[in-house]
Amino acid sequence: QVQLVESGGGLVQAGGSLRLSCAASGRTLSNYAMGWFRQAPGKEREFVAALSWSGGRTNYADSVKGRFTISRDNAKNTVYLQMNSLKPEDTAVYYCAAALSFTIVVIRTRYDYWGQGTQVTVSS
């Protein structure tokens, strides 16, 4: 019902910035909570950030607090992840996800739809 497509990944130097985008089609995101997760090689997919679309609440993993910002654009039906002060340990495939919830969701298994992922590589 919802298709999510991430974009904006790439190769950056430590300390640099990237903005990831997650464009949705098939349904408006107004009834969904949105999240960003990441997965490094050999690691489990981990929570990065979440947003409740209707309420505007946000939540961040401790590892990215103060550096990453999740936001939305209602007109474009798109969610973003602004990534600043990037570190090599941020290197991973980043996935956006949508949950059928009006409240914020931080548990991976609660998400219903996932994008294909976009690679972020941070060099030292």
Side-chain angles (χ1 to χ4, degrees), residues 70-119:
I70 187 171
S71 62
R72 57 179 165 88
D73 187 322
N74 293 337
K76 296 181 178 180
N77 208 35
T78 298
V79 63
Y80 303 96
L81 184 68
Q82 179 66 46
M83 309 164 64
N84 298 327
S85 301
L86 284 163
K87 305 175 181 179
E89 50 263 46
D90 294 319
T91 295
V93 176
Y94 283 71
Y95 299 88
C96 66
L100 292 168
S101 176
F102 287 101
T103 59
I104 197 164
V105 176
V106 299
I107 301 174
R108 185 186 63 200
T109 56
R110 294 285 301 278
Y111 280 89
D112 301 290
Y113 304 99
W114 293 84
Q116 83 289 347
T118 185
Q119 177 71 46

Short mmCIF file of all heavy atoms in Angstrom, two decimals, residues 70-119:
data_model
loop_
_atom_site.label_atom_id
_atom_site.label_comp_id
_atom_site.label_asym_id
_atom_site.label_seq_id
_atom_site.Cartn_x
_atom_site.Cartn_y
_atom_site.Cartn_z
N ILE A 70 15.28 14.42 12.21
CA ILE A 70 14.25 13.86 11.35
C ILE A 70 13.17 14.92 11.17
O ILE A 70 12.80 15.62 12.11
CB ILE A 70 13.67 12.56 11.93
CG1 ILE A 70 12.70 11.90 10.95
CG2 ILE A 70 13.01 12.79 13.28
CD1 ILE A 70 12.27 10.49 11.37
N SER A 71 12.66 15.03 9.96
CA SER A 71 11.64 16.03 9.67
C SER A 71 10.75 15.54 8.54
O SER A 71 11.02 14.50 7.93
CB SER A 71 12.28 17.38 9.30
OG SER A 71 13.08 17.26 8.14
N ARG A 72 9.71 16.28 8.27
CA ARG A 72 8.76 15.89 7.25
C ARG A 72 8.34 17.09 6.41
O ARG A 72 8.45 18.24 6.84
CB ARG A 72 7.52 15.26 7.89
CG ARG A 72 6.84 16.17 8.90
CD ARG A 72 5.61 15.52 9.50
NE ARG A 72 5.14 16.20 10.72
CZ ARG A 72 4.31 17.23 10.72
NH1 ARG A 72 3.86 17.73 9.57
NH2 ARG A 72 3.93 17.76 11.87
N ASP A 73 7.85 16.80 5.21
CA ASP A 73 7.28 17.79 4.32
C ASP A 73 5.94 17.24 3.87
O ASP A 73 5.88 16.32 3.05
CB ASP A 73 8.20 18.06 3.14
CG ASP A 73 7.72 19.21 2.27
OD1 ASP A 73 6.51 19.37 2.08
OD2 ASP A 73 8.58 19.97 1.78
N ASN A 74 4.88 17.79 4.41
CA ASN A 74 3.55 17.27 4.11
C ASN A 74 3.20 17.39 2.62
O ASN A 74 2.62 16.47 2.03
CB ASN A 74 2.49 18.00 4.93
CG ASN A 74 2.61 17.71 6.41
OD1 ASN A 74 3.15 16.69 6.83
ND2 ASN A 74 2.07 18.61 7.23
N ALA A 75 3.56 18.51 2.02
CA ALA A 75 3.22 18.74 0.62
C ALA A 75 3.90 17.74 -0.30
O ALA A 75 3.32 17.33 -1.31
CB ALA A 75 3.58 20.16 0.22
N LYS A 76 5.10 17.34 0.03
CA LYS A 76 5.85 16.40 -0.79
C LYS A 76 5.69 14.96 -0.34
O LYS A 76 6.25 14.06 -0.97
CB LYS A 76 7.33 16.77 -0.79
CG LYS A 76 7.63 18.12 -1.43
CD LYS A 76 9.12 18.40 -1.42
CE LYS A 76 9.42 19.73 -2.09
NZ LYS A 76 10.88 20.03 -2.09
N ASN A 77 4.97 14.74 0.77
CA ASN A 77 4.79 13.39 1.31
C ASN A 77 6.14 12.70 1.49
O ASN A 77 6.34 11.55 1.09
CB ASN A 77 3.88 12.56 0.39
CG ASN A 77 3.12 11.48 1.13
OD1 ASN A 77 2.72 11.66 2.28
ND2 ASN A 77 2.91 10.35 0.48
N THR A 78 7.04 13.42 2.12
CA THR A 78 8.42 12.99 2.23
C THR A 78 8.94 13.21 3.65
O THR A 78 8.59 14.21 4.29
CB THR A 78 9.30 13.76 1.23
OG1 THR A 78 8.87 13.48 -0.10
CG2 THR A 78 10.76 13.37 1.37
N VAL A 79 9.76 12.29 4.11
CA VAL A 79 10.43 12.43 5.39
C VAL A 79 11.93 12.54 5.12
O VAL A 79 12.44 11.93 4.17
CB VAL A 79 10.10 11.26 6.33
CG1 VAL A 79 10.60 9.93 5.76
CG2 VAL A 79 10.67 11.50 7.72
N TYR A 80 12.61 13.30 5.95
CA TYR A 80 14.03 13.56 5.77
C TYR A 80 14.82 13.16 7.00
O TYR A 80 14.29 13.10 8.11
CB TYR A 80 14.29 15.04 5.49
CG TYR A 80 13.54 15.59 4.31
CD1 TYR A 80 12.33 16.24 4.47
CD2 TYR A 80 14.05 15.46 3.03
CE1 TYR A 80 11.64 16.75 3.40
CE2 TYR A 80 13.37 15.97 1.93
CZ TYR A 80 12.16 16.61 2.13
OH TYR A 80 11.48 17.12 1.04
N LEU A 81 16.08 12.90 6.79
CA LEU A 81 17.02 12.73 7.89
C LEU A 81 18.23 13.60 7.59
O LEU A 81 19.03 13.28 6.71
CB LEU A 81 17.44 11.27 8.06
CG LEU A 81 18.36 11.00 9.25
CD1 LEU A 81 17.59 11.21 10.56
CD2 LEU A 81 18.93 9.59 9.21
N GLN A 82 18.34 14.71 8.30
CA GLN A 82 19.50 15.57 8.19
C GLN A 82 20.59 15.03 9.09
O GLN A 82 20.39 14.89 10.29
CB GLN A 82 19.15 17.01 8.58
CG GLN A 82 20.32 17.98 8.51
CD GLN A 82 20.81 18.19 7.10
OE1 GLN A 82 20.02 18.40 6.19
NE2 GLN A 82 22.13 18.15 6.92
N MET A 83 21.74 14.74 8.51
CA MET A 83 22.84 14.11 9.22
C MET A 83 24.02 15.07 9.22
O MET A 83 24.60 15.34 8.17
CB MET A 83 23.21 12.79 8.56
CG MET A 83 22.02 11.87 8.34
SD MET A 83 22.37 10.52 7.17
CE MET A 83 23.61 9.62 8.07
N ASN A 84 24.37 15.57 10.38
CA ASN A 84 25.49 16.49 10.53
C ASN A 84 26.58 15.85 11.38
O ASN A 84 26.35 14.89 12.10
CB ASN A 84 25.04 17.80 11.18
CG ASN A 84 24.02 18.54 10.36
OD1 ASN A 84 24.04 18.51 9.13
ND2 ASN A 84 23.11 19.25 11.04
N SER A 85 27.76 16.43 11.30
CA SER A 85 28.91 15.96 12.08
C SER A 85 29.07 14.45 11.96
O SER A 85 29.23 13.73 12.95
CB SER A 85 28.74 16.36 13.55
OG SER A 85 28.63 17.76 13.68
N LEU A 86 29.06 13.98 10.75
CA LEU A 86 29.10 12.54 10.51
C LEU A 86 30.41 11.92 10.96
O LEU A 86 31.47 12.54 10.84
CB LEU A 86 28.85 12.25 9.04
CG LEU A 86 27.39 12.38 8.60
CD1 LEU A 86 27.29 12.49 7.09
CD2 LEU A 86 26.59 11.18 9.10
N LYS A 87 30.31 10.72 11.46
CA LYS A 87 31.44 9.95 11.95
C LYS A 87 31.57 8.67 11.15
O LYS A 87 30.59 8.18 10.60
CB LYS A 87 31.25 9.61 13.43
CG LYS A 87 31.00 10.79 14.34
CD LYS A 87 30.70 10.33 15.76
CE LYS A 87 30.41 11.50 16.67
NZ LYS A 87 30.10 11.05 18.05
N PRO A 88 32.77 8.09 11.09
CA PRO A 88 32.92 6.82 10.38
C PRO A 88 31.97 5.74 10.88
O PRO A 88 31.51 4.91 10.08
CB PRO A 88 34.38 6.44 10.64
CG PRO A 88 35.07 7.75 10.80
CD PRO A 88 34.08 8.63 11.53
N GLU A 89 31.66 5.73 12.16
CA GLU A 89 30.75 4.74 12.69
C GLU A 89 29.31 4.93 12.25
O GLU A 89 28.46 4.08 12.53
CB GLU A 89 30.82 4.69 14.23
CG GLU A 89 30.70 6.05 14.89
CD GLU A 89 32.05 6.64 15.24
OE1 GLU A 89 32.96 6.61 14.38
OE2 GLU A 89 32.22 7.13 16.38
N ASP A 90 29.01 6.03 11.56
CA ASP A 90 27.69 6.22 10.97
C ASP A 90 27.54 5.48 9.64
O ASP A 90 26.45 5.45 9.08
CB ASP A 90 27.41 7.70 10.74
CG ASP A 90 27.32 8.48 12.04
OD1 ASP A 90 26.71 7.97 13.01
OD2 ASP A 90 27.84 9.62 12.08
N THR A 91 28.62 4.92 9.14
CA THR A 91 28.58 4.20 7.87
C THR A 91 27.63 3.02 7.95
O THR A 91 27.76 2.16 8.82
CB THR A 91 29.98 3.72 7.48
OG1 THR A 91 30.83 4.86 7.26
CG2 THR A 91 29.94 2.88 6.22
N ALA A 92 26.67 2.98 7.05
CA ALA A 92 25.66 1.93 7.05
C ALA A 92 24.72 2.15 5.87
O ALA A 92 24.77 3.19 5.20
CB ALA A 92 24.86 1.93 8.35
N VAL A 93 23.88 1.17 5.64
CA VAL A 93 22.74 1.36 4.76
C VAL A 93 21.60 1.90 5.61
O VAL A 93 21.26 1.32 6.64
CB VAL A 93 22.31 0.05 4.07
CG1 VAL A 93 21.06 0.26 3.23
CG2 VAL A 93 23.44 -0.48 3.20
N TYR A 94 21.03 3.00 5.18
CA TYR A 94 19.97 3.65 5.93
C TYR A 94 18.63 3.36 5.28
O TYR A 94 18.46 3.49 4.07
CB TYR A 94 20.20 5.16 5.98
CG TYR A 94 21.26 5.56 6.99
CD1 TYR A 94 22.60 5.28 6.74
CD2 TYR A 94 20.92 6.18 8.19
CE1 TYR A 94 23.58 5.60 7.66
CE2 TYR A 94 21.89 6.52 9.11
CZ TYR A 94 23.21 6.23 8.85
OH TYR A 94 24.18 6.57 9.77
N TYR A 95 17.68 2.96 6.11
CA TYR A 95 16.35 2.59 5.66
C TYR A 95 15.31 3.49 6.31
O TYR A 95 15.40 3.79 7.50
CB TYR A 95 16.02 1.15 6.05
CG TYR A 95 16.93 0.10 5.47
CD1 TYR A 95 18.10 -0.27 6.11
CD2 TYR A 95 16.59 -0.53 4.28
CE1 TYR A 95 18.93 -1.24 5.59
CE2 TYR A 95 17.42 -1.51 3.74
CZ TYR A 95 18.59 -1.86 4.40
OH TYR A 95 19.40 -2.82 3.88
N CYS A 96 14.33 3.90 5.53
CA CYS A 96 13.17 4.55 6.12
C CYS A 96 12.05 3.53 6.25
O CYS A 96 12.00 2.54 5.52
CB CYS A 96 12.72 5.77 5.30
SG CYS A 96 12.07 5.41 3.65
N ALA A 97 11.17 3.78 7.18
CA ALA A 97 10.09 2.86 7.46
C ALA A 97 8.85 3.62 7.90
O ALA A 97 8.95 4.73 8.44
CB ALA A 97 10.50 1.85 8.55
N ALA A 98 7.70 3.02 7.67
CA ALA A 98 6.42 3.61 8.04
C ALA A 98 5.63 2.63 8.89
O ALA A 98 5.59 1.43 8.59
CB ALA A 98 5.62 3.99 6.80
N ALA A 99 5.02 3.15 9.93
CA ALA A 99 4.19 2.36 10.83
C ALA A 99 2.79 2.92 10.87
O ALA A 99 2.60 4.14 10.88
CB ALA A 99 4.79 2.33 12.23
N LEU A 100 1.81 2.03 10.90
CA LEU A 100 0.41 2.45 11.00
C LEU A 100 0.12 2.86 12.43
O LEU A 100 -0.41 2.10 13.23
CB LEU A 100 -0.51 1.32 10.55
CG LEU A 100 -0.46 0.96 9.07
CD1 LEU A 100 -1.17 -0.35 8.81
CD2 LEU A 100 -1.07 2.08 8.25
N SER A 101 0.48 4.08 12.74
CA SER A 101 0.34 4.59 14.09
C SER A 101 0.31 6.10 14.07
O SER A 101 1.03 6.74 13.31
CB SER A 101 1.48 4.10 14.97
OG SER A 101 1.41 4.67 16.27
N PHE A 102 -0.52 6.68 14.92
CA PHE A 102 -0.54 8.12 15.09
C PHE A 102 0.46 8.57 16.15
O PHE A 102 0.71 9.77 16.28
CB PHE A 102 -1.93 8.60 15.49
CG PHE A 102 -2.93 8.56 14.37
CD1 PHE A 102 -3.85 7.54 14.28
CD2 PHE A 102 -2.93 9.55 13.39
CE1 PHE A 102 -4.77 7.50 13.25
CE2 PHE A 102 -3.84 9.51 12.35
CZ PHE A 102 -4.76 8.48 12.27
N THR A 103 1.01 7.62 16.89
CA THR A 103 2.00 7.92 17.90
C THR A 103 3.36 7.44 17.44
O THR A 103 3.48 6.60 16.54
CB THR A 103 1.64 7.29 19.24
OG1 THR A 103 1.53 5.87 19.09
CG2 THR A 103 0.31 7.82 19.75
N ILE A 104 4.39 7.95 18.07
CA ILE A 104 5.74 7.63 17.66
C ILE A 104 6.05 6.16 17.91
O ILE A 104 5.58 5.56 18.87
CB ILE A 104 6.74 8.55 18.38
CG1 ILE A 104 8.09 8.54 17.68
CG2 ILE A 104 6.87 8.17 19.85
CD1 ILE A 104 8.98 9.69 18.12
N VAL A 105 6.83 5.57 17.01
CA VAL A 105 7.20 4.17 17.09
C VAL A 105 8.71 4.06 17.00
O VAL A 105 9.32 4.59 16.07
CB VAL A 105 6.55 3.35 15.96
CG1 VAL A 105 7.03 1.90 16.01
CG2 VAL A 105 5.05 3.42 16.05
N VAL A 106 9.31 3.37 17.95
CA VAL A 106 10.76 3.21 17.97
C VAL A 106 11.18 1.75 17.89
O VAL A 106 12.37 1.46 17.80
CB VAL A 106 11.38 3.85 19.23
CG1 VAL A 106 11.10 5.34 19.26
CG2 VAL A 106 10.86 3.18 20.49
N ILE A 107 10.23 0.83 17.90
CA ILE A 107 10.52 -0.60 17.84
C ILE A 107 10.48 -1.05 16.39
O ILE A 107 9.48 -0.88 15.70
CB ILE A 107 9.53 -1.39 18.69
CG1 ILE A 107 9.59 -0.93 20.15
CG2 ILE A 107 9.80 -2.89 18.60
CD1 ILE A 107 8.55 -1.56 21.04
N ARG A 108 11.55 -1.67 15.94
CA ARG A 108 11.68 -2.08 14.56
C ARG A 108 10.55 -2.97 14.08
O ARG A 108 10.04 -2.80 12.96
CB ARG A 108 13.02 -2.79 14.36
CG ARG A 108 13.34 -3.18 12.93
CD ARG A 108 14.62 -3.98 12.89
NE ARG A 108 14.48 -5.24 13.62
CZ ARG A 108 15.49 -5.97 14.08
NH1 ARG A 108 16.73 -5.56 13.90
NH2 ARG A 108 15.25 -7.10 14.72
N THR A 109 10.15 -3.93 14.91
CA THR A 109 9.16 -4.90 14.49
C THR A 109 7.76 -4.32 14.38
O THR A 109 6.86 -4.98 13.87
CB THR A 109 9.14 -6.10 15.45
OG1 THR A 109 8.92 -5.64 16.78
CG2 THR A 109 10.45 -6.85 15.38
N ARG A 110 7.56 -3.10 14.85
CA ARG A 110 6.27 -2.46 14.76
C ARG A 110 6.06 -1.75 13.42
O ARG A 110 4.95 -1.30 13.11
CB ARG A 110 6.09 -1.45 15.89
CG ARG A 110 6.02 -2.06 17.29
CD ARG A 110 4.67 -2.72 17.53
NE ARG A 110 3.57 -1.76 17.38
CZ ARG A 110 3.17 -0.92 18.32
NH1 ARG A 110 3.77 -0.91 19.51
NH2 ARG A 110 2.17 -0.09 18.09
N TYR A 111 7.09 -1.63 12.62
CA TYR A 111 6.97 -0.94 11.34
C TYR A 111 6.41 -1.86 10.27
O TYR A 111 6.73 -3.05 10.22
CB TYR A 111 8.33 -0.37 10.92
CG TYR A 111 8.63 0.92 11.63
CD1 TYR A 111 9.30 0.94 12.85
CD2 TYR A 111 8.23 2.14 11.08
CE1 TYR A 111 9.55 2.12 13.51
CE2 TYR A 111 8.49 3.33 11.73
CZ TYR A 111 9.15 3.32 12.94
OH TYR A 111 9.40 4.51 13.60
N ASP A 112 5.59 -1.30 9.40
CA ASP A 112 4.84 -2.07 8.41
C ASP A 112 5.45 -2.01 7.02
O ASP A 112 5.31 -2.96 6.24
CB ASP A 112 3.40 -1.57 8.35
CG ASP A 112 2.69 -1.67 9.68
OD1 ASP A 112 2.40 -2.80 10.12
OD2 ASP A 112 2.43 -0.61 10.30
N TYR A 113 6.09 -0.93 6.67
CA TYR A 113 6.63 -0.74 5.33
C TYR A 113 8.06 -0.24 5.42
O TYR A 113 8.40 0.56 6.29
CB TYR A 113 5.79 0.26 4.54
CG TYR A 113 4.33 -0.13 4.44
CD1 TYR A 113 3.39 0.44 5.30
CD2 TYR A 113 3.90 -1.07 3.51
CE1 TYR A 113 2.06 0.08 5.22
CE2 TYR A 113 2.57 -1.43 3.44
CZ TYR A 113 1.66 -0.86 4.30
OH TYR A 113 0.33 -1.22 4.23
N TRP A 114 8.87 -0.70 4.47
CA TRP A 114 10.29 -0.37 4.46
C TRP A 114 10.74 0.01 3.06
O TRP A 114 10.26 -0.52 2.07
CB TRP A 114 11.13 -1.57 4.92
CG TRP A 114 10.92 -1.92 6.35
CD1 TRP A 114 9.93 -2.69 6.87
CD2 TRP A 114 11.73 -1.51 7.45
NE1 TRP A 114 10.06 -2.80 8.23
CE2 TRP A 114 11.16 -2.07 8.62
CE3 TRP A 114 12.88 -0.73 7.57
CZ2 TRP A 114 11.71 -1.87 9.88
CZ3 TRP A 114 13.42 -0.52 8.82
CH2 TRP A 114 12.84 -1.09 9.96
N GLY A 115 11.67 0.95 3.00
CA GLY A 115 12.31 1.29 1.75
C GLY A 115 13.43 0.33 1.44
O GLY A 115 13.74 -0.60 2.20
N GLN A 116 14.07 0.55 0.31
CA GLN A 116 15.13 -0.35 -0.15
C GLN A 116 16.49 -0.02 0.45
O GLN A 116 17.42 -0.82 0.35
CB GLN A 116 15.22 -0.32 -1.68
CG GLN A 116 16.05 0.82 -2.27
CD GLN A 116 15.39 2.18 -2.14
OE1 GLN A 116 14.21 2.29 -1.82
NE2 GLN A 116 16.17 3.23 -2.39
N GLY A 117 16.62 1.13 1.05
CA GLY A 117 17.86 1.54 1.67
C GLY A 117 18.73 2.39 0.78
O GLY A 117 18.68 2.30 -0.44
N THR A 118 19.54 3.23 1.40
CA THR A 118 20.52 4.04 0.69
C THR A 118 21.82 4.01 1.47
O THR A 118 21.83 4.12 2.70
CB THR A 118 20.01 5.48 0.49
OG1 THR A 118 20.94 6.22 -0.30
CG2 THR A 118 19.79 6.20 1.82
N GLN A 119 22.92 3.85 0.76
CA GLN A 119 24.22 3.68 1.40
C GLN A 119 24.79 5.02 1.82
O GLN A 119 24.84 5.98 1.04
CB GLN A 119 25.19 2.99 0.44
CG GLN A 119 26.61 2.83 0.99
CD GLN A 119 26.70 1.82 2.11
OE1 GLN A 119 26.16 0.72 1.99
NE2 GLN A 119 27.38 2.19 3.19
#
